[in-house]
Amino acid sequence: MKKPSLRTVAAAAAALAALAPVAACSSKSAGSGGGDAKNAKIAFLMPDIASTRYELYDAPLFKAKMKQLCGGCTVLYQNAGADASKQQQQASSVLAQGVKAIVIDPVDSAAAASIVRMAQSRQVKVIAYDRPIPAAKADYYVSFDNEKIGAMIGQSLVDHLKQEKAKGGILEVNGSPTDAAANLIKKGIHSSVDPSGFKLLAEYDTPGWEPAKAQQWVSGQISKYRGQIAGVVAANDGTGGAAVAAFKAAGTDVPPVTGNDAELAAAQRIIAGDQYNTISKPIKIVAEAAATAAHKFVQGETPKGNTTLFNTPSELFTPTVVTQDNIGKVLLGPDGALKADKVCTAEYAAACAKLGLK
């Protein structure tokens, strides 16, 4: 991913700042450009398209819930394509269009602080979505418990390695260093791996969560620690899939590899035995919770969280670890996020049959 220059980010920040006089001179009260609560505009700003979830699930589910709650409301959906300066520009645009609330999954948690401050200066509420914004207090935060996710995938891997009496150490493939949620996952992973008795051979913070960069790093570690890698704890399915690809490209056995997000490709890798686990985080839960919170805000109400994180009222949900043992029930069951006919394609039919998946 091309890193935006300081000049580009500064220009985007200046564009945001330019909105302030507009708010001051408006004949309407700040943040009222979207009309009343029944016809409010609500922004849904997502971070990237590297993960398929935002286009396929988060945005459609959020829009559907908003339509159910407020038939006259309009959702302004934008995806930043992993570009922090582009997300700044998108925030400028939706603020200029008069949104009454912004739901944002930040590309860069630190850079998003300026979006929070500018929106709040216009009395526009900000809901941090999936990734927190530590440098500025958003009005609300909705996510799964990311630190717990890291602890769960790490402990699941450690337990499996001990059960298999595996020898060697662990590679750790973390998420983006600019993503506060990735840092929470990383913290959780260390809480499980550090006291496990397995040596942490090396770890890597993956810029922009880009699988290609994760694969390149893992490939280097395979050469360095050939025959010594017992397992790989990867922070999401993209980096987990990259690790699997690196071992296959090296022509060596694939050790147990973790993941997170329960993407379709990850489910297929688990069924085939290439990936050990993933995390089921039903996106419907967080998308609908965010829509409910946004709707409350535009009505002048304040949603109540179940905890506080980074001094922000937060609603955190508990995820589920998925392995071959429970994939049929958790992901492919009646309430599962995936459908068996989409997962058990011809390539995976035999592996599905072996696990009793239909």
Side-chain angles (χ1 to χ4, degrees), residues 38-355:
K38 293 182 179 180
N39 299 289
K41 295 177 182 177
I42 296 161
F44 193 65
L45 307 181
M46 295 295 102
D48 62 65
I49 56 175
S51 176
T52 58
R53 55 171 283 191
Y54 302 111
E55 301 288 319
L56 295 179
Y57 303 110
D58 296 77
L61 289 166
F62 181 85
K63 290 177 181 178
K65 185 63 176 179
M66 281 306 312
K67 184 174 182 180
Q68 177 188 340
L69 294 169
C70 179
C73 289
T74 301
V75 174
L76 304 182
Y77 169 58
Q78 298 283 343
N79 191 300
D83 186 333
S85 62
K86 183 176 180 179
Q87 192 166 60
Q88 295 268 357
Q89 293 160 4
Q90 290 171 341
S92 297
S93 175
V94 297
L95 284 168
Q97 293 177 67
V99 295
K100 300 189 78 172
I102 292 176
V103 178
I104 179 170
D105 191 337
V107 174
D108 184 318
S109 296
S114 63
I115 295 174
V116 174
R117 288 190 285 267
M118 181 53 62
Q120 291 175 340
S121 75
R122 292 169 61 95
Q123 286 74 56
V124 173
K125 301 296 185 180
V126 178
I127 299 167
Y129 182 86
D130 202 34
R131 303 173 182 174
I133 306 173
K137 181 182 177 182
D139 296 284
Y140 203 64
Y141 174 48
V142 175
S143 182
F144 282 89
D145 188 331
N146 288 295
E147 187 172 338
K148 192 165 188 176
I149 286 171
M152 291 170 74
I153 59 175
Q155 193 60 52
S156 172
L157 176 67
V158 166
D159 291 345
H160 178 67
L161 294 179
K162 288 182 176 179
Q163 184 179 359
E164 296 296 313
K165 295 180 171 54
K167 303 294 182 183
I170 292 174
L171 295 180
E172 181 176 333
V173 188
N174 302 310
S176 173
T178 63
D179 177 354
N183 291 328
L184 291 171
I185 294 171
K186 179 178 177 179
K187 182 179 178 182
I189 288 172
H190 277 285
S191 73
S192 296
V193 172
D194 292 354
S196 69
F198 289 98
K199 181 180 179 180
L200 180 61
L201 299 173
E203 67 176 301
Y204 176 65
D205 294 341
T206 309
W209 291 93
E210 290 187 34
K213 292 182 178 178
Q215 182 173 344
Q216 182 179 20
W217 180 80
V218 173
S219 295
Q221 305 312 301
I222 293 171
S223 297
K224 184 176 181 179
Y225 297 106
R226 189 169 294 275
Q228 301 177 53
I229 303 169
V232 179
V233 58
N236 78 340
D237 289 333
T239 55
V244 171
F247 282 96
K248 289 190 171 186
T252 186
D253 291 341
V254 180
V257 176
T258 73
N260 165 33
D261 283 339
E263 293 184 350
L264 187 148
Q268 291 174 326
R269 287 193 296 270
I270 289 172
I271 289 167
D274 289 331
Q275 182 169 318
Y276 176 64
N277 73 20
T278 188
I279 286 285
S280 173
K281 305 181 299 183
I283 294 170
K284 182 179 173 69
I285 293 175
V286 289
E288 293 190 349
T292 299
H295 185 237
K296 285 183 180 295
F297 276 130
V298 301
Q299 293 184 104
E301 302 175 19
T302 301
K304 305 298 181 184
N306 54 22
T307 188
T308 299
L309 189 65
F310 298 115
N311 202 32
T312 301
S314 303
E315 193 170 3
L316 302 182
F317 300 96
T318 302
T320 303
V321 176
V322 177
T323 66
Q324 281 191 352
D325 292 336
N326 65 349
I327 191 169
K329 179 180 179 182
V330 177
L331 293 185
L332 306 181
D335 298 321
L338 302 175
K339 301 301 180 185
D341 62 334
K342 301 295 183 183
V343 175
C344 296
T345 57
E347 183 179 354
Y348 298 95
C352 283
K354 187 175 179 180
L355 294 176

